[in-house]
Amino acid sequence: MTTVADTSNKTSFEPATHGFDVARVRQDFPILHQSVHGHPLVYFDNAASAQKPQAVIDAVKRFYETDNANIHRGVHKLSVRATESYERARIRARDLLGARHQEEIIFVRGASEAVNLVAQTFGRANVTSGDEIVVSHMEHHSNIVPWQILCQQTGAVLRVAPVNDQGELIFEEYEKLLSPRTKLVAMTHVSNAIGTIVPIRDVIEKAHKVGAKVLVDGAQAVPHLSVNVKELDCDFYTFSGHKFFGPTGVGILFGKKDILEHMPPYQGGGEMIRSVTFEETTYNDLPHRFEAGTPNIAGGVGLGAIIDYVNALGFGNIAAYEHELLAYATAALEAVPEVRLVGTAANKVAVISFVVDGVHPHDVGTILDQYGIAIRTGHHCAQPLMARFQVPATCRASLAFYNTRQEVDALVAGIRQVVKVFG
Amino acid sequence: MGDLDDLYQELILDHNKSPRNRGELENATCKAAGHNPLCGDRVTVFATIEDGIIKEITFDGAGCAISTASASLMTESLKGKTLEEAKALFKGFHGLVTEETEETEDGPGLGKLAVFSGVCKYPARVKCATLAWHTVHAALSENGDTVTTEDDE
């Protein structure tokens, strides 16, 4: 088999978009500088988990080397430092999301846990038989299954807002689903499988008109877009640290204070209580009421570090750079006759799903891997969306601000090899 | 790219492109469905057993090149075999794709199935190769439930 053109020697170059120096940014990510199967690594699986800059790795390392102790209530120096670092990260997250109060920021393991938390606390307390929960057809399984469980527990009904052939929410159909029975709308901000940006502000506004609360799954939005929960006026917003270039096992749930205050606790344990006797327990104040047990402290510290890092790059710069990269990649893939894009929304982040004529995505993924190119193949935890597009699986190249045009060229060359093998 | 050629050998590409014994078997005496939840591959195996011998065997379903070729080649190699021989082939094939072991003299002759020897170097793809075999195993054990590849570690 011939080798894909060695892109490492190319001199072509990344336009310095709006002062965004991708070559310099790449220096911050040690993992990117390696060979896989003898080729420079091209990491296009960012929507599954993004890579971490040195600043995050250092912050986690430094925490364990100098500050590690359990947080809150400790009177010794290390515990005080650990608590400060962890709570500083909470403030960073508050500012990242534009929330008013730090009590509105709850540390969770990730977006999945956040959705489950809201389903089992807000949901159990407020949703009853005959009520409705509205999701979209492009949800990740983690924003479907917790609601199905809640429906089984309460007798509520799950309603699904459809998407069109481009993979966009059909807004009129969504509106038709809303009624006084709608207790909650749980919708993704950005589709993990096909990159569609949902007009979430309008979704929220319409939901509020019928008195429904809205949870926004921002796992795929926060790595690409500037989010402001005050402007969106959402009731809950969540994202995962590891998809945002931070550590695994940590994420954020934002909830409006007046809603959180009336929610029953999620898990019982240490930290979430004020006082415990065998007769009665009173619960802690926000946000600790929802944070039972010792959390992922180092993960929280790492999350704080990544927020600082991304803020320094600037969301505006990132969005402008990614916008151009997405346009370049979309055009490059469309130029391959055997490639069909799945999800062509007008408003997208740099996530591209595609199929190659007559070749199963897993075979595409295996061959690309031999050229050092990491993409994801499968249903992307969005089986209903795959069914909507009548494909069992797709190939997904999900790009981040550290990816380059050169890497897109390598992907296209790799796909041409796939076509050749199966030709 | 020697590795890749090991995986996608001509015979595998050929059986992927033109699968043999594909389709439903009308007078099947046993059948089973298999599912690989990781990639969404689905296969159904139909077989007619007479006097302990696999007279006819077909498969239906959609999957990647490895799973399609594996199902196709499997039906070819199982046709005319006794149930005992089929079991031995299953064992031999499983060993072939999960461990880098050479075929031994006293083991069952894997014949064309040896073309899957490259799969063991691709741990993520082993389940693709074994899906049809797990399914036929269920069909022959008269276990009509859908089998999955998830216990295939």
Side-chain angles (χ1 to χ4, degrees), chain A residues 165-168 194 196 330 334 341-348 389:
Chain A
D165 290 344
Q166 287 70 49
E168 296 163 320
I194 57 174
T196 307
T330 304
E334 277 177 336
L341 300 186
V342 176
T344 49
N347 206 6
K348 274 184 73 168
F389 285 104

Side-chain angles (χ1 to χ4, degrees), chain A residues 1-2 37 39 358 360 362-364 366-367 370-371 378-379 383 392-393 421-423, chain B residues 1 3-5 7-8 13 16-17 37-41 63-66 122 125 128:
Chain A
M1 195 174 295
T2 52
H37 299 304
H39 296 267
H360 190 281
H362 275 75
D363 297 314
V364 178
T366 294
I367 293 175
Q370 292 301 309
Y371 293 109
H379 51 62
Q383 286 178 345
V421 169
F422 283 88
Chain B
M1 284 308 115
D3 276 3
L4 207 48
D5 289 337
L7 182 64
Y8 292 107
L13 293 173
N16 173 53
K17 217 169 189 176
L38 293 180
C39 42
D41 288 355
C64 64
I66 303 300
Y122 296 81
R125 306 303 302 276
C128 308

Side-chain angles (χ1 to χ4, degrees), chain A residues 96 102 104 111 140 210 217 258 310 368 387 417:
Chain A
L96 176 77
Q102 69 191 75
E104 296 180 318
H140 188 284
V210 297
D217 171 3
D258 57 331
V310 174
L368 290 179
Q417 285 301 316

Side-chain angles (χ1 to χ4, degrees), chain A residues 27-270:
Chain A
Q27 291 305 316
D28 296 337
F29 290 80
I31 203 169
L32 298 178
H33 308 285
Q34 64 176 295
S35 290
V36 171
H37 299 304
H39 296 267
L41 168 67
V42 173
Y43 190 78
F44 281 162
D45 196 18
N46 295 289
S49 197
Q51 301 303 349
K52 328 301 176 198
Q54 193 64 50
V56 168
I57 299 166
D58 287 347
V60 171
K61 185 165 175 276
R62 196 165 48 240
F63 174 78
Y64 280 127
E65 284 175 352
T66 62
D67 297 342
N68 180 56
N70 211 334
I71 53 170
H72 303 136
R73 297 177 313 282
V75 294
H76 60 81
K77 187 64 187 169
L78 260 53
S79 177
V80 170
R81 285 211 302 257
T83 304
E84 280 171 2
S85 295
Y86 191 67
E87 289 303 321
R88 205 179 301 129
R90 193 190 304 276
I91 290 167
R92 295 280 189 284
R94 175 198 68 190
D95 296 343
L96 176 77
L97 295 179
R100 284 188 181 84
H101 313 287
Q102 69 191 75
E103 306 93 277
E104 296 180 318
I105 301 296
I106 298 162
F107 278 110
V108 287
R109 278 188 296 144
S112 293
E113 186 179 46
V115 178
N116 280 282
L117 188 158
V118 174
Q120 291 304 310
T121 57
F122 173 85
R124 290 296 286 270
N126 294 285
V127 175
T128 56
S129 181
D131 286 346
E132 294 180 350
I133 296 163
V134 174
V135 298
S136 85
H137 208 131
M138 63 185 127
E139 299 309 317
H140 188 284
H141 294 163
S142 63
N143 202 24
I144 300 173
V145 182
W147 307 116
Q148 288 175 325
I149 292 171
L150 179 65
C151 287
Q152 282 162 7
Q153 290 165 334
T154 60
V157 179
L158 190 67
R159 307 293 302 271
V160 182
V163 299
N164 63 19
D165 290 344
Q166 287 70 49
E168 296 163 320
L169 178 73
I170 305 175
F171 202 83
E172 315 82 78
E173 296 297 323
Y174 159 69
E175 276 189 273
K176 282 184 204 160
L177 292 177
L178 297 173
S179 79
R181 289 187 302 278
T182 314
K183 279 284 149 35
L184 191 94
V185 173
M187 205 172 290
T188 193
H189 193 170
V190 168
S191 159
N192 74 304
I194 57 174
T196 307
I197 301 174
V198 174
I200 202 71
R201 195 175 167 171
D202 298 338
V203 165
I204 294 161
E205 195 184 344
K206 292 292 176 196
H208 283 167
K209 282 197 172 138
V210 297
K213 303 295 184 208
V214 182
L215 174 139
V216 181
D217 171 3
Q220 299 294 339
V222 172
H224 302 283
L225 308 170
S226 169
V227 171
N228 186 304
V229 294
K230 274 201 303 286
E231 282 170 19
L232 293 177
D233 195 29
C234 54
D235 302 289
F236 302 100
Y237 195 99
T238 179
F239 71 94
S240 296
H242 75 104
K243 293 183 196 292
F244 184 58
F245 319 99
T248 52
V250 67
I252 294 293
L253 169 66
F254 157 84
K256 278 183 184 164
K257 198 175 166 189
D258 57 331
I259 300 175
L260 291 177
E261 272 170 349
H262 295 99
M263 274 162 46
Y266 179 46
Q267 294 176 326

